[in-house]
Each structure stands twice: as C-alpha cells, then as structure tokens.
Amino acid sequence: MNSIPPQVDPAAWAARFANPAAWQDWLKLQPLDPQPLAASMKQLGATIDPAAMTALQADYVQQLTALWQEMLSAKAPAVADRRFKGPEWQASPLHAFNAAAYLLNARFLLAMADAVQAEPRAKQKIRFAVQQVVDAMSPANFLATNPEVLQKIIDTKGESLVKGMHHMLEDLQKGHISQSDESAFEVGRNVATTEGAVVFENALFQLIQYKPLTKKVYERPLLLVPPCINKYYILDLQPENSLVRYAVEQGHTVFLVSWCNPDASLGHLSWDDYVLDGVVKAIGVVSEISGQEQINALGFCVGGTILASALALLYGRGENPVASLTLLTTLLDFSDTGVIDVFIDEAQVAMREQSIGKGGLMPGRDFTATFSSLRPNDLVWNYVKSNYLKGEEPPPFDLLYWNADATNLPGPMFCWYLRNMYLENRLREPGKTTVAGEPVDLGVIDAPTFVYGSREDHIVPWNSAFASTTLLNPANPERNRFVLGASGHIAGVINPPAKKKRSYWSSDQPASSPQEWLGAATEHPGSWWPEWSAFLSGHAGNQVNAPRKSGNAHYPVIEPAPGRYVKVKAD
C-alpha cells in the first residue's frame, strides 16, 4: 500500500463491459425486485397500487439505462450529494458509478415507500425504516467502497486506519459515537459558566439563582424550567450564546431548575413527583426568596409540558403564581409529534411499562440513540466516516458536547409521559389528565403567554407548538403571542442577537390555524430573543435595586453554580 493503484483506463473498461448483462453480473446490480418488500408491507396492512409500481419500475429502468450509457461513454456520472463531494469520487469512474447507482436505488426505495397505501402512522413507520436502511447502505459508510478513505489509508501508510480503530474502541467503552472533542469541555469551566449559586435542593433538582449583571433589576424574577431529558446548560453554553446570561443582562433576576440525573435509587419517581417536588416547589421557593406573589416562568421542551401541568394544577386550586408564561418548542397538544411518532404505539408503550413502569430507569444513552436516528446522516454516519474510517479527531463543538451528556429518566415518570401525552394525548382535554389526584385544565391558566416554535423542528413540529395558543387563554386568545424561528429544535432556540443569524416570523393578527398565522406573519432578520425580551419586560414589574446576595436566611447558598447535579454522568 505504498503507491496509488493504477487508474482504470476508461476505454478499456467500457469495451470490457459493453454488454450490459456482463456488467450487471460483475457488479451484482440486478434491477431491484420489489416483490419481497411488497409482500412484507402487505403483512403490515399496507399495499402499493400496481399502476404506481409499474410507473416506478419503468422510471427506474429508464434512469438505470441512462446511467449505464454514461458509463459506456467513459463519462463519470455527476453526483450531487455532499456525501460524495470529494474529488476521489469523480477520479474513478467505478466509484462515481457506484455512488450514482446507490442514489438511484435510494430514490426508488423512498419513492416506493411514498407510494404505500396505508394508515398514516403505519406509512410513516415504513418510510422511516426505509430511510434508515437507505442511509446506512451508502457506499460512503464502508471502507472498501469509499475512495476518500482508501486514499487516506495510502497517504498515511495505514495510520488513519489504526487511529480509526482506536476511536471506535474508545467509543465502544463510552457507549456512544463521539460527535465532538469531549476533552475540550468541562461543565463549570467553559460551559455553564454564568455566575450564580445553588440556593435550594431536594432529591429531584437544584435551584440556581444567577448573580445580577445590572444595578437595577425587575422586581418579578424569572424561573427557567429546562427539559429533564437533557442537561440544563443548553441554555448556558458559552457567554456569547447563553439565554441565561442574556436574560440576566436584560435586568432579570434569573432562577433555573437543574434537574438531577437519576440513578437506581430514584427509579420510582413519577410524573407527579416532577410536577410537585420539581416545578411547584421551585415556584414556591422563588416566590419566597424574591418576596413576590407572582413570578415569570419559562419552560423549554418537556420542561414546558411539566411547567404547564404544574400551573394548571395551581390555578385549578385558586392560586395565581405567574405574571407571564413562556413556552419554547413545547408540546401541549400531542396530535402531531412529527417523526417521533414512529417510536410510539400501544405495543411499544406497553413493553416499556412492563419493563420499567413500576420502577427502574430509562437510560439516557437510549434517548441519545433515538434522537440521532432522526438525522442519521448528520449525527451517525458522518462521524462513522470521519472518526472511524478516516481516523480523524472530532472537532470541539459545545452543542454536540451537550448532546452527548445524557440524562436518565425514572421509569414510572417516563412511561406515564409516553402513555398520557404521546399515545393518548390527554393533557389537551380539560379534566382528562390528573396530577396529584386532581384533574387539570390548561384553560384555567390565567397569564399572558409567549409561545415559540422552530420552523424545521423534527421533535416539536411548529404547527404543534402553535397549537398551544388554542389551549391557553381560550376566552382571551389575544393574550397569546406566537413567534416562529428559523432552523430546528435547538439551533432555532439558541440564536443570540449578536450572531445576527437566521430569522423569525411574527404576527399581530389573530389566527385560528398555523397556516392562517403564517400567511399573515412578517419575517424579520436575526434573533427572536429581543422580541421575547420586550414581552417579558412588560410583565416583570418595576425596576428595583439588584439583590446583593443570593438566597435569603431561610434559603442560604449551598454551593456555587453550576452545582453538583448537572455534573453527574449517566451510567
């Protein structure tokens, strides 16, 4: 392996395989037989219209013939796919043909999945499964069929292959594919660094109070409830992209719930525990420390679902704890959960209930694997190619470091969430969901609400985020403000103004549907954060002197932020 193999002579190669039958036999690329796949789909209650199948087959054969003709003319086929953008793919007609043939087969399989006639959920599952297979079988993912990898092995005299094997063994020990240089970050050193102190803790969470950065602050504090399915510091990555720091800089006294990373001793916790001992307790402590009867509250993703459940419980009891509510990429109506729906059905939920519903843990690594499967080319195969096949070091990236910092969930809590929210969608119906034995109704939450959705969100589709505006303040819909940001579930939320990136949409016109809202909305360049800041300041009360210390006599400082809980790693 100390020299580059001789290039194939295009003329000789074309002459040798001028007969398509010989070419097909040599490469084993017989036209795809759809019958086995069709038979499997029939077992799932799915069919394909014969006329549609005939049209797909005819189109496939036509494109395959055209591809073959390009090869006979010694012309490397054009491949418009970033997985094959390296010059090595075009340097060899064989590799270029292999990539083009793969893309053709991929298009055929996906078109076949789209032509399936089935109940919507079954069709979605079929397409998801086909997409997983298609993405996995890319020739870029295998050493023998990736010319970039082969060339690098030659150039490095095999060193890249050795490094790749070393990376793979390390990741096997860690239990996940490294997407970032994890040695470059440390919680509390260069992520989650906004200054503050832990002022309360119980088994479920630590409450952080952040140090003011302004001489004057609004009298009503802001409580942030991040998702318990991830670590909180997605809201406090670096100073320049920290939503926590931004809110503090705007003059708010910010408190934040830092959820525990449960171990086996907490495997009995329920949804009620997260509502009562989590959010309800946090609201009470923040009110006591600040001396305010009302606070402002923000929930992100499932943190927003827990927050809304807690507020529905409190308002149902006749309490009035918040002056405003902010929900970021949050589901309250689970009618459309996007691609996540492929993992949710009665059989799968029942299986989880049987295994961990009465006690145990839902491992954080399973969440990481699930979310990675939603974007496999970006979050799986890209790193298989670079880390293992090429032996490259993953670059440092704070967001991907956070993404790999997994969090467990207690089995009873997780199973209740799956069944009552995702499977049965009970929270949207007044009185159908009970918390702490009490029926709850989202419609009784009496607070101005800011609802944010991300336009390319694959976890909380933006139309589902918008649906919250139909459940909250039903008698006064004008109290709800919806804002739509560009990008996805995380990148859309973490979009600081200083970056001057992306855009967002807003509208002052009342709308009964997401499509109606979008039709009247205006696009603005940059971040949606200032729009939210303006909403928040309108409900934050008067300006007062900033507190000189965190906590109070009843809630003394326990330790500096970010605290211990966020540093606990999932097993």
Side-chain angles (χ1 to χ4, degrees), residues 85-99:
K85 67 180 181 180
E88 293 86 354
W89 290 95
Q90 290 296 313
S92 164
L94 180 59
H95 286 300
F97 172 79
N98 194 22

Side-chain angles (χ1 to χ4, degrees), residues 187-204:
V187 175
R189 179 175 63 85
N190 55 3
V191 291
T193 60
T194 300
E195 189 174 357
V198 175
V199 294
F200 172 83
E201 68 180 37
N202 59 20
L204 196 54

